[in-house]
Amino acid sequence: LLWEGDHINGFALSPTRVDACEVEGWLVVPPQHRSTRSSDYWARNFQQFWTALAEDFALAASMQLGMSSGANRALCFGAHEFACTMFHESIERIAAIPP
């Protein structure tokens, strides 16, 4: 989610295979802000959001190719990617709990 002050742009990724996913996006505008801008403004904003994400998605696709090559045995997250580390630690904790 990206809070823009008067609206939210968001997207969700749903895995479809090990190496693929579907992406769903949305624009949420609270009622009090809907009449302050034209529909063209909201459409342009949504398009700019997806244009910016296209660069990230292209990089992610390149990274996926590299990861699937088998050349890397481990992946280290940078200090600013703490949420990724926390996610993986949570998964490891849950996986260690006996059924």
Side-chain angles (χ1 to χ4, degrees):
L1 297 174
L2 178 62
W3 172 247
E4 297 279 1
D6 59 356
H7 68 283
I8 297 171
N9 283 307
F11 70 97
L13 304 166
S14 300
T16 56
R17 298 187 322 251
V18 168
D19 61 348
C21 66
E22 291 180 355
V23 181
E24 179 182 6
W26 59 93
L27 172 75
V28 179
V29 181
Q32 68 269 26
H33 295 296
R34 290 184 190 152
S35 63
T36 63
R37 306 278 189 171
S38 71
S39 59
D40 287 342
Y41 169 83
W42 299 117
R44 282 192 315 273
N45 185 282
F46 196 56
Q47 183 58 45
Q48 287 175 331
F49 176 67
W50 283 102
T51 298
L53 284 181
E55 294 176 7
D56 293 340
F57 290 159
L59 178 59
S62 174
M63 292 169 63
Q64 180 66 40
L65 285 173
M67 293 300 294
S68 63
S69 73
N72 301 301
R73 300 219 184 271
L75 176 65
C76 296
F77 293 113
H80 297 293
E81 301 297 341
F82 61 88
C84 296
T85 301
M86 291 171 57
F87 171 76
H88 283 274
E89 289 171 351
S90 297
I91 295 298
E92 289 172 8
R93 268 194 315 277
I94 292 167
I97 297 173

